[in-house]
Every structure is written in C-alpha cells, then in structure tokens.
Amino acid sequence: MGLPEPYQSQFEAKTQEFEGRTNYLYADSRGNPTCGIGHMVPSGDAAIALPFSGGNPAEDWHAVKIATVGRVAAFYAHLTTSRLPDDAINVLFAQDCDAAFSQIRSFLPSFDALPPTVQCAIADMSFNLGSGKLHADYFGPHSKFGPAIARGDWQTAAAECIRKGIPAARNAYTQALIMSAASGGAIS
C-alpha cells in the first residue's frame, strides 16, 4: 500500500521526473549502477537477474561501474548494449515503491497518520536516499527531522529535510510538501 490518491499518482510522477526513466544502466550521482526509474543495481549478478534484452547486462554493469561519475544518464547509453523493456521498468518501479513504503512503515509506524503531503515528502526522501539512510540520518538519535515530524513541527521538519548532492528543485519540492501540511495539505 502506498499513499492515498491523488498523492500516490503525484508521488509517482514526481519521482519519475526527478529520477528519470532509462532502459539502460547508468551511474547515479553516487556512482551506483542504476536503471529504470531510480532502480539501483548492486552487482553484475543483480543486472543479469533483471529482464534486460540483448547484450550482456553483467558487462554493462561493469562498464558503468568504472565509468566517470557525475554525468547525465544519457552519457552511459553508449557503454551499454542491454535494454530494459518498458513493462519491466514499470514492474520494477512498482516493486521499489512497495518496498520503500513497507520499509518506512517498519521504522515509522505512525506514517499513515501523518498528513498525506508529509507522507509524500518522506516517501520521496526514502526513494532518493534509500530507507536505511533515511532512517539513520533523518530518524536516528541525532536527527532533528524525526522528532519534528513526530510533534507536527512542519517548519523545523522542512528545514531539516534538505539532502546533500541532489538538485535544489527536489529539496524545494520536499520542503513545500512538508510546509503544505501547515496550511491544509495542498499539493502542487
């Protein structure tokens, strides 16, 4: 179970906008081989397990892993020959979303009671960072974000949701989602 509508659809559209959609492996901002809509591929074996067509996914994974980091996804297309069909991208994205929501709920049992825009912001952070990093860095013992969420202090939570190494527009979007909870939760 994800978010209530229309928030789930908005989350999916914005995630695709921020993460992009590629049918080949590329290096994300941290150098992790990734495909589809932000689907991190941890190893050559994991690449082989995906339903790529053509080429050699393990060789593609290795070529991307050793390539220059910090390029746009299109830069990596010429390094790869395997392609992921659209339906497989959709299935992977749905699975990744389900996993993200399940993992969030495992460390934040009150997630479903939060305003939907705050749920959407936390889901975006989880999809971007990974739920382990979200949990450790934003809900851990030294975090100001988690306690602010718990007490409904949306201004502090919005100030503390900033992530390093991502576009300013994504941080601004997440902040706006959290701040919208203070005014009734309109989403844009």
Side-chain angles (χ1 to χ4, degrees), residues 10 15 19 49 66 101 113 120 122 124 126-127 130 132 138 142 156 161-162 169 181:
Q10 179 75 22
T15 300
E19 295 285 337
I66 64 171
F101 287 116
C120 198
I122 292 170
D124 178 70
S126 179
F127 206 90
Y138 292 85
H142 304 293
T156 299
C161 77
I162 300 297

Side-chain angles (χ1 to χ4, degrees), residues 69-83:
V69 177
R71 305 287 189 125
V72 296
F75 168 81
Y76 302 93
H78 78 280
L79 301 175
T80 65
T81 56
S82 303
R83 297 296 180 258

Side-chain angles (χ1 to χ4, degrees), residues 156-171:
T156 299
E160 294 295 323
C161 77
I162 300 297
R163 292 155 281 171
K164 293 181 173 98
I166 68 164
R170 192 168 190 173
N171 275 326

